[in-house]
Amino acid sequence: MLAILALSAGAGSAEAPTADSGPSVELSAEQMQRMGVAVQPLAARSIGESVPVYVRAVDIVPLLALQSDLRATRSAVAASQRELDRLSQLAAQDASASARSVEAARAAAAADASRLELLERRSRIEWSPELAARIQAAPQLVESLARGETALVRADAPGRPNGVDGEVTIEIGSGATPVTGEPVGRCATADPRMQTIGLYAMVSGAGAAFVRPGRVFDGEVRTAQRTVGVVLPRSAVVRVDGSSWVYLRTADSTFQRRVLKDARVIDDGWFARQGFEPGDVVVVAGAESLYAVESGQNSTQAD
C-alpha cells in the first residue's frame, strides 16, 4: 500500500533535497488518516544553557592541613589577646605588671595576628575567597570533608578560559544516576593544561562516596544564561543514515524531512536552538510511514 501511496503522493511536487533536508512528500487527508499521521505546532521554550565540563575530584589534604593551622592560630590569637588585656589592666591598676611585660604581650599578640592574616590570605589565594568564606562560616564542613560525607570537585570547561558558573552535574558511571554539585566559587588557580579557570563545587550525600580524589568525570554546568528554542517530541524524530530528522509541514498536505542538529535531549523531548521556529508544524506520529513513502517515491523516480 505504501508503494501505491508513494506513486500518488504528489508527482512533480518533490523539491531537490539538500544536506539539511529531504524531498517533499505530499499526502491527502485520507492518506494521512490511513497512515496515522498526526501533526503538532511547536512552542517556544527557554532553558538554561548547559556547558560540558571535565570534573576532577580534589585532594583535600592540603586544605584540611591549612584549616587546622588556621584553627590553631585563631586560638593563639585569642589567647595572646587575653594575656595582653590582662597585663594591661594590671599595669593600669597597681603597676603589678611592668611596662616591659605589657609590650612583650603586645608584640606576641601582633605576631599571632600577623600569622593569622597570612594563613587567611593563603586560603584565599591557594583555594578561593568563596571557598574560604564558606568553610569559615560553616566549620562543620571541614569535618564532613574529612569523613568523606562531602567531596570537593573542580569543573573546567574546555574552550572557556574564563570559566562558567552554575550547578554542576557529574556523570559518575555508565547507567549510574548523575550526582549534583553545589557551586562554591571560582578556583583561585588556572588549570595548567587547559588554561581555564575552574569552578569549585561541593558534592554531598550518597554521591560523595564515588567522588574520590584523583577521579576524573564528564559533566556539565547549567548556567543562569537562558537559551531560546523549541521542543520537539521524541516521537517526531526519525533516524536516517545516522542522523536525526523531523518532518516539517511546508503546506497543507506537503511535508519535508529536515535534519535535527545542534539539539539536546531534555525531559520531554529534544530542545533545538536552530532549524525550527515556534509555530512550525511537525509530524509527531507516523513519521516512519512518511519516510517509507518518501523512500518509495525516490525509488519510483529512479526507475
Side-chain angles (χ1 to χ4, degrees), residues 97-126:
S98 66
R100 185 172 183 176
S101 63
V102 172
E103 288 304 314
R106 182 174 288 108
D112 288 338
S114 180
R115 282 193 292 270
L116 177 60
E117 183 180 6
L118 175 61
L119 288 172
E120 289 176 340
R121 286 179 177 175
R122 274 188 56 196
S123 182
R124 294 190 296 269
I125 293 171
E126 295 178 5

Side-chain angles (χ1 to χ4, degrees), residues 2-9 14 17 23-25 257 290-303:
L2 291 177
I4 296 174
L5 289 174
L7 290 172
S8 64
S24 294
V25 177
R257 181 163 49 90
L290 263 178
Y291 180 66
V293 171
E294 179 192 320
S295 300
Q297 176 177 284
N298 292 340
S299 298
T300 301
Q301 292 173 350
D303 293 341

Side-chain angles (χ1 to χ4, degrees), residues 28-53:
S28 67
E30 180 183 355
Q31 289 170 336
M32 290 177 58
Q33 183 176 9
R34 190 181 308 154
M35 295 167 60
V37 174
V39 298
Q40 175 182 307
L42 299 178
R45 177 78 67 85
S46 172
I47 66 173
E49 181 186 20
S50 178
V51 179
V53 293

Side-chain angles (χ1 to χ4, degrees), residues 59-78:
D59 180 6
I60 60 169
V61 171
L63 175 62
L64 296 178
L66 180 57
Q67 293 305 311
S68 177
D69 290 343
L70 277 166
R71 286 197 301 271
T73 305
R74 288 188 182 109
S75 297
V77 167

